[in-house]
């Protein structure tokens, strides 16, 4: 492990560096993202890459990133990563699907209360020296209905918190999900939208979700309702949302993500049609930006990268088959990543047999394109097994772990 090097971009929390270094990995950190050519040049000699949401890894990147073993996306989404290309090149990708769940959910609940009480407007007025002690248009959230569009880790957590606030919770998800508490599933998106006072979006960025909230969906929402988007900027038609707010159909909105976002922090230059509208809360993609979330993300992804390097565990990978073989005492572990075609396991077992090694434990998992094999052998094979595996036409990666 002493020869392994990791490059962490975008000011990833120092806890990730500390953990990896404690595992014997040399780490270098940068506080910004890099364009593709600059990144490829900087990445030479590194085996691990850590990124956040501003670094885009294309198909070309993976084809050129020789020596790269794994990518850690220190965030929830991986839409900035060409996952299929990473798989074809035998590069595992890990993310942090749970670590900022609570941070995002708490911000959503805070925004619901702020919208209900029109607190954003009151704060702006007070800072201008305007005293407006009025109750018109201000409401409690207790007894109101919230619709959660997407009921994954974050959506379901918002449902738990909203119910504790005394709200009625409905949700819509394309997959069947077990409701938390008294949360109630709805059969369609429009069913969920039509009966809610508050609609909160919690979906990933996919072709299916791009523009899923447009003019027709906004029109289907209740008169005087509110929209909260802390998911992905491509999900909402911003022009249609602006019109719904200006026309009075919606009473307010909170938006944390945008179709186009600056690549780095800047003091000015951000423009959106939603700016300067009453009862609209705009935030710069900070749903998961808490100290607690960043520590959790840094730890979760660093642990996943380390377990992959040391033991071959892919249990939390987003693009590899899921494998987690418990270590066999006094064994020697070999990893083989290959194209999912007939005959590979036969050839690998033949190679092991020719080295007079005995297989103590073995696990193979596949997806449509890839086979992922871990083998524990009873003797050290001095790299001969891996070298022979690399000579097989369908091998992508072969590596001795310990």
């Amino acid at each position: 492990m002493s020869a392994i090097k990791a490059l962490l971009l975008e000011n990833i929390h120092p806890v990730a560096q500390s953990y990896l270094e404690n595992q014997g990995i040399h780490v270098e950190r940068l506080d910004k993202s890099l364009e593709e050519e600059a990144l490829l040049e900087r990445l030479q000699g590194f085996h691990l890459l850590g990124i956040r949401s501003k670094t885009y890894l294309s198909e070309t990147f993976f084809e050129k990133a020789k020596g790269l073993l794994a990518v850690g996306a220190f965030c929830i989404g991986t839409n900035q990563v060409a996952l299929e290309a990473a798989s074809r090149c035998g590069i595992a990708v890990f993310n942090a699907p749970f670590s900022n769940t609570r941070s995002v959910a708490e911000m959503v609940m805070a925004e619901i209360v702020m919208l209900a009480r029109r607190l954003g407007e009151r704060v702006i007025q007070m800072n201008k020296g305007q005293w407006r002690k009025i109750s018109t248009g201000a409401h409690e959230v207790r007894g109101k209905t919230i619709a959660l569009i997407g009921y994954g880790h974050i959506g379901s957590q918002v449902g738990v918190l909203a119910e504790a606030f005394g709200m009625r919770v409905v949700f819509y998800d394309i997959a069947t999900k077990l409701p938390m508490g008294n949360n109630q599933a709805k059969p369609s998106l429009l069913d969920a939208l039509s009966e809610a006072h508050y609609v909160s979006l919690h979906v990933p960025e996919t072709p299916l979700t791009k523009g899923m909230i447009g003019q027709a969906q906004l029109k289907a929402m209740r008169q005087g309702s509110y929209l909260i988007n802390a998911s992905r900027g491509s999900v909402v038609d911003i022009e249609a949302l602006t019109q719904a707010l200006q026309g009075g159909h919606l009473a307010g909105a909170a938006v944390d993500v945008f179709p186009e976002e600056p690549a780095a922090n800047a003091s000015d230059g951000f423009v959106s049609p939603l700016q300067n509208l009453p009862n609209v809360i705009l935030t710069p993609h900070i749903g998961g930006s808490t100290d607690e979330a960043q520590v959790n993300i840094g730890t979760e992804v660093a642990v996943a990268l380390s377990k992959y390097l040391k033991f071959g565990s892919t249990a939390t990978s987003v693009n590899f088959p899921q494998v987690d073989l418990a270590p066999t005492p006094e064994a020697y572990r070999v990893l083989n990543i290959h194209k999912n075609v007939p005959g590979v396991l036969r050839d690998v077992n033949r190679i092991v047999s020719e080295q007079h090694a005995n297989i103590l434990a073995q696990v193979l998992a596949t997806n449509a394109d890839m086979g992922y094999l871990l083998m524990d052998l009873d003797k050290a094979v001095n790299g001969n097994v891996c070298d022979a595996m690399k000579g097989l036409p369908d091998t992508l990666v072969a590596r001795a772990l310990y």
Side-chain angles (χ1 to χ4, degrees):
M1 292 293 288
S2 60
I4 297 293
K5 296 176 65 178
L7 177 64
L8 305 182
L9 306 181
E10 300 187 65
N11 203 29
I12 289 169
H13 197 280
V15 71
Q17 178 176 0
S18 297
Y19 183 88
L20 293 173
E21 288 179 339
N22 286 337
Q23 303 302 308
I25 299 171
H26 174 77
V27 179
E28 294 185 22
R29 291 176 67 240
L30 299 178
D31 61 1
K32 62 181 180 179
S33 62
L34 295 175
E35 297 295 331
E36 185 170 289
E37 288 303 318
L39 177 55
L40 285 167
E41 182 176 351
R42 186 72 178 78
L43 196 59
Q44 293 181 26
F46 287 87
H47 309 89
L48 304 177
L49 174 63
I51 65 170
R52 295 176 72 184
S53 59
K54 300 302 182 185
T55 300
Y56 292 87
L57 305 181
S58 69
E59 180 176 353
T60 302
F61 168 83
F62 285 108
E63 292 171 351
K64 294 181 178 180
K66 305 303 180 184
L68 184 63
L69 298 176
V71 171
F74 287 75
C75 50
I76 290 183
T78 54
N79 54 289
Q80 74 276 34
V81 180
L83 294 177
E84 292 183 3
S87 298
R88 289 196 303 270
C89 296
I91 298 172
V93 180
F94 299 88
N95 68 337
F98 309 107
S99 294
N100 70 359
T101 296
R102 181 69 181 197
S103 295
V104 178
E106 286 187 2
M107 189 184 79
V108 168
M109 291 308 304
E111 289 178 333
I112 288 172
V113 173
M114 287 186 69
L115 291 171
R117 298 293 300 272
R118 307 188 76 91
L119 295 182
E121 293 172 274
R122 300 291 92 84
V123 169
I124 292 172
Q125 290 164 352
M126 288 293 285
N127 281 310
K128 292 180 178 179
Q130 301 171 354
W131 185 273
R132 300 288 188 270
K133 187 179 183 297
I134 55 178
S135 60
T136 303
H139 303 279
E140 293 183 354
V141 300
R142 182 177 54 176
K144 306 301 191 299
T145 297
I146 180 173
L148 305 170
I149 310 305
Y151 199 69
H153 304 308
I154 296 174
S156 58
Q157 182 72 192
V158 173
V160 171
L161 296 178
E163 199 166 271
F165 269 69
M167 301 184 76
R168 174 175 173 264
V169 181
V170 301
F171 68 89
Y172 170 71
D173 198 294
I174 59 173
T176 301
K177 297 293 180 68
L178 177 68
M180 303 291 286
N182 292 315
N183 296 187
Q184 181 183 1
K186 289 296 174 179
S188 72
L189 174 62
L190 292 182
D191 284 329
L193 295 176
S194 63
E195 59 183 88
H197 301 91
Y198 302 87
V199 173
S200 188
L201 308 178
H202 302 284
V203 297
E205 183 175 8
T206 69
L208 188 63
T209 63
K210 185 175 182 179
M212 70 177 294
I213 303 298
Q215 186 176 33
Q217 291 74 27
L218 293 168
K219 186 177 181 180
M221 291 173 60
R222 293 173 61 128
Q223 174 75 31
S225 58
Y226 304 83
L227 179 71
I228 300 96
N229 185 19
S231 60
R232 288 292 180 264
S234 62
V235 174
V236 177
D237 182 334
I238 294 296
E239 294 293 341
L241 175 59
T242 302
Q243 294 173 10
L245 290 162
Q246 291 175 331
H249 182 65
L250 296 188
V255 180
D256 186 50
V257 290
F258 302 85
E260 295 182 6
E261 298 180 0
N265 286 334
S267 59
D268 53 30
F270 176 73
V271 176
S272 171
L274 296 171
Q275 289 170 319
N276 301 312
L277 294 179
N279 209 24
V280 173
I281 301 169
L282 303 181
T283 49
H285 203 150
I286 56 170
S289 296
T290 63
D291 288 341
E292 292 86 352
Q294 295 311 306
V295 168
N296 291 338
I297 289 170
T299 302
E300 182 178 349
V301 179
V303 169
L305 291 172
S306 177
K307 288 179 66 177
Y308 175 67
L309 287 175
K310 295 175 70 173
F311 306 113
S313 172
T314 60
T316 58
S317 173
V318 295
N319 68 324
F320 272 25
Q322 303 293 291
V323 172
D324 192 8
L325 177 63
T328 303
E330 300 181 359
Y332 300 87
R333 179 164 293 185
V334 175
L335 172 154
N336 179 271
I337 307 170
H338 54 270
K339 298 176 184 177
N340 187 13
V341 296
V344 174
L345 188 58
R346 175 201 62 209
D347 293 338
V348 169
N349 287 335
R350 172 181 53 78
I351 290 170
V352 172
S353 177
E354 290 173 351
Q355 296 297 319
H356 305 290
N358 186 41
I359 300 174
L360 301 178
Q362 176 176 279
V363 60
L364 170 68
T366 63
N367 58 26
D369 303 311
M370 175 197 298
Y372 189 86
L373 172 67
L374 289 180
M375 304 178 71
D376 282 353
L377 308 178
D378 68 342
K379 60 184 290 187
V381 289
N382 300 319
N384 293 333
V385 165
C386 288
D387 290 341
M389 286 182 186
K390 291 175 182 177
L392 297 175
D394 297 310
T395 292
L396 300 173
V397 174
R399 189 162 58 92
L401 300 182
Y402 57 82

